[in-house]
Amino acid sequence: MSALTRSGATSPQDYLDWYDGCAERNHTTSTRVPLDRLDGWTMHRETGNLAHVSGRFFVVEGLDVRRPGAVVEHWSQPIINQPEIGILGLLVREFDGVLHCLVQGKVEPGNCNGVQISPTVQATRSNYTRVHGGRSIPYLEHFREPAGHRVVADVRQSEQGAWFLQKRNRNMVVDLTGEPAPPVHEDFCWLTLGQVHALLGTTDTVNMDLRTVLSCLPFAGPDPAALLPSGAGDFAAAVARSCDEAAPARHSSAEILSWITGARTRHEITATRVPLNQLERWVHRDGEIGHETGRHFTVRGLEIVARGREVARWSQPMFSPVGTGLSAFLVRRIDGVLHALVHARVEPGLMDVVELAPTVQCTVENYVPGPAELRPPFLDVVLDAPPGAVRYDVVLSEEGGRFDHARVRYLIVEIDEDVTPAERPDHRWMPLHQLVGLLRHSHYVNVQARTLVACLHSLASPGPA
């Protein structure tokens, strides 16, 4: 089983040598530039909106949000409007009976540590149609023309609903088993799922785009717990059993779908596009745009010089978050099956109002210290968890092509008792197999929860080093 194999077509030492080579060949240098002086970008005279001169890529504009009855009923903010549907594609193939993933060592200007492990293909429509005039993208043909290959997963998924306006990507996994192996280009490498899962526990190593594609992969077949090696551990077995579609769930799938539909119907939100230069409480200062409190994020311009990218130099606006985010699942065993506490979360940029999110998803500095009524539910349960209850704890980078040094601390915390009172109708306990089932469809599970699904899968594959 690929998830239990930590050494396959590429040995651990060969991987380290390959990664070091990627880091030497690929890097970026970014210099701050005032937003109104970005080469190739225009700031609209009347609205202040930032757009590329080609009319492609994306636009930074304003969004006015109203949520009657919410803790915060009205706010406005900058938002990235990128209507193109990009491709996040992963090629997989068996070598000696073990499934391998063709990953890429890719650098993004917003990455904290340069090269990160990425899907085989990671490209917006503007990039893969070469609006920038750069080099073509390797292996793209397997995803633009997948006919004739075995498509394991193919689903449109959202990105950050707090920063993107209805942004979606096509998440694809294509299996080339039985076909001749394609030539491996310099910055690509075949790794087993076990090797990728091991890297997922390392800070800032597996990028967001690979994490979301990994979450869409179906887990092992019937009774995955039976595939674990002896000594795998009690929690690994609990996660594996939670992936078994035959395992009992607190709520039936029909009840979960009805609950999501009810949440989408119950929550009223109006998100109206407005001029960027008319946002309340957002200040244009020193060539950047930031919130008057100094919180949330800043919109800044960067001039980027790159080696190992399709183009060698470009400029663009970037969102730079203030503080490290927190995304956490509380998990507990219900009738012997591990369940995660998911949140039907409203975000202004989502296609359909609500998607399933982690139990807690926030930037802690925005709430602590602060009034208790403003704190996200269960935040203190997560922050006060004893060390022995923390099953996963890693800081990972978010998408480095639009966000500058955006990082989130991903936590999985196991608790022994139910902490969901009746007045929390937007939270439900779900086993992993229900979450994975929803991932076969678009717009049910948000990008932060998808990362945590991938992290949980990695805990069920403690293969030998």
Side-chain angles (χ1 to χ4, degrees):
M1 180 179 173
S2 179
L4 300 178
T5 304
R6 296 285 172 92
S7 182
T10 304
S11 70
Q13 185 58 53
D14 287 343
Y15 161 76
L16 292 174
D17 293 341
W18 169 80
Y19 182 85
D20 289 343
C22 288
E24 291 177 4
R25 291 186 295 271
N26 302 277
H27 53 80
T28 62
T29 302
S30 299
T31 305
R32 292 189 188 181
V33 178
L35 290 170
D36 59 357
R37 298 181 189 173
L38 281 175
D39 184 34
W41 293 79
T42 61
M43 183 174 282
H44 193 275
R45 182 177 302 176
E46 296 179 1
T47 66
N49 292 354
L50 287 160
H52 195 262
V53 294
S54 67
R56 303 291 293 275
F57 299 108
F58 62 94
V59 177
V60 180
E61 55 190 30
L63 198 69
D64 184 84
V65 184
R66 297 179 185 271
R67 283 193 63 195
V71 174
V72 178
E73 294 191 312
H74 175 234
W75 75 91
S76 60
Q77 64 170 90
I79 197 89
I80 299 171
N81 186 350
Q82 185 175 347
E84 301 177 344
I85 297 177
I87 292 177
L88 304 179
L90 184 66
L91 290 180
V92 299
R93 187 183 188 278
E94 288 186 6
F95 291 92
D96 296 326
V98 177
L99 195 73
H100 287 64
C101 308
L102 185 61
V103 300
Q104 179 182 180
K106 189 175 181 69
V107 66
E108 295 281 5
N111 286 358
C112 291
N113 64 337
V115 169
Q116 295 190 9
I117 307 304
S118 311
T120 318
V121 168
Q122 172 186 320
T124 66
R125 183 183 294 272
S126 290
N127 283 342
Y128 69 69
T129 56
R130 301 170 67 184
V131 172
H132 49 49
R135 299 193 304 268
S136 60
I137 296 173
Y139 309 108
L140 179 64
E141 67 278 6
H142 294 286
F143 304 99
R144 294 193 71 182
E145 301 174 4
H149 306 303
R150 178 174 172 253
V151 177
V152 178
D154 190 355
V155 60
R156 292 185 301 176
Q157 299 288 11
S158 63
E159 291 203 24
Q160 287 86 349
W163 293 338
F164 280 112
L165 182 62
Q166 299 185 358
K167 174 71 171 71
R168 295 160 292 163
N169 279 318
R170 187 179 182 185
N171 288 230
M172 302 181 69
V173 180
V174 173
D175 189 351
L176 301 183
T177 300
E179 303 180 34
V184 179
H185 297 283
E186 189 172 47
D187 292 323
F188 293 80
C189 179
W190 289 105
L191 296 178
T192 67
L193 277 174
Q195 289 175 309
V196 176
H197 284 165
L199 295 171
L200 191 56
T202 306
T203 300
D204 295 328
T205 299
V206 176
N207 82 351
M208 186 200 79
D209 298 299
L210 181 52
R211 300 193 307 260
T212 180
V213 177
L214 288 172
S215 74
C216 296
L217 271 171
F219 203 69
D223 195 12
L227 301 176
L228 293 177
S230 60
D234 177 64
F235 190 76
V239 174
R241 188 175 183 220
S242 185
C243 295
D244 186 348
E245 293 183 4
R250 164 66 68 89
H251 307 281
S252 70
S253 294
E255 289 171 337
I256 290 294
L257 289 172
S258 178
W259 167 64
I260 296 169
T261 301
R264 288 173 170 172
T265 304
R266 181 172 65 254
H267 288 289
E268 180 182 349
I269 182 169
T270 303
T272 306
R273 294 162 62 187
V274 297
L276 186 62
N277 59 11
Q278 295 182 19
L279 293 178
E280 298 178 8
R281 305 190 68 187
W282 290 83
V283 180
H284 294 245
R285 184 185 296 124
D286 300 327
E288 301 180 344
I289 302 172
H291 197 265
E292 64 182 15
T293 63
R295 294 181 174 180
H296 308 302
F297 60 90
T298 299
V299 184
R300 60 171 48 112
L302 293 180
E303 182 180 83
I304 299 144
V305 177
R307 182 178 178 185
R309 294 281 304 212
E310 293 84 10
V311 292
R313 180 187 295 268
W314 73 93
S315 299
Q316 67 174 88
M318 298 276 277
F319 279 25
S320 181
V322 177
T324 299
L326 172 70
S327 291
F329 265 154
L330 292 178
V331 298
R332 65 182 290 256
R333 306 182 202 204
I334 301 174
D335 297 328
V337 178
L338 195 75
H339 285 58
L341 184 60
V342 299
H343 178 203
R345 180 182 173 90
V346 178
E347 292 185 297
L350 295 177
M351 288 286 294
D352 204 358
V353 183
V354 161
E355 292 188 7
L356 300 187
T359 317
V360 176
Q361 178 184 316
C362 69
T363 299
V364 176
E365 291 89 341
N366 291 340
Y367 299 95
V368 179
E373 63 270 17
L374 295 180
R375 294 161 76 90
F378 311 111
L379 174 59
D380 292 327
V381 179
V382 170
L383 295 181
D384 296 339
V390 177
R391 301 299 188 175
Y392 205 91
D393 187 356
V394 66
V395 174
L396 298 171
S397 296
E398 298 306 286
E399 206 277 319
R402 298 291 177 267
F403 311 132
D404 185 32
H405 288 68
R407 306 172 84 212
V408 172
R409 182 185 179 194
Y410 285 95
L411 278 166
I412 297 168
V413 177
E414 186 173 17
I415 59 176
D416 296 327
E417 58 183 311
D418 196 342
V419 293
T420 53
E423 62 267 23
R424 294 295 177 198
D426 288 332
H427 290 79
R428 287 288 187 278
W429 291 102
M430 294 175 59
L432 268 174
H433 68 80
Q434 283 186 332
L435 278 169
V436 171
L438 289 175
L439 281 168
R440 301 188 186 110
H441 308 280
S442 301
H443 311 144
Y444 278 104
V445 183
N446 81 356
V447 67
Q448 291 89 350
R450 296 198 299 272
T451 283
L452 286 169
V453 168
C455 293
L456 277 163
H457 280 171
S458 75
L459 292 176
S461 58

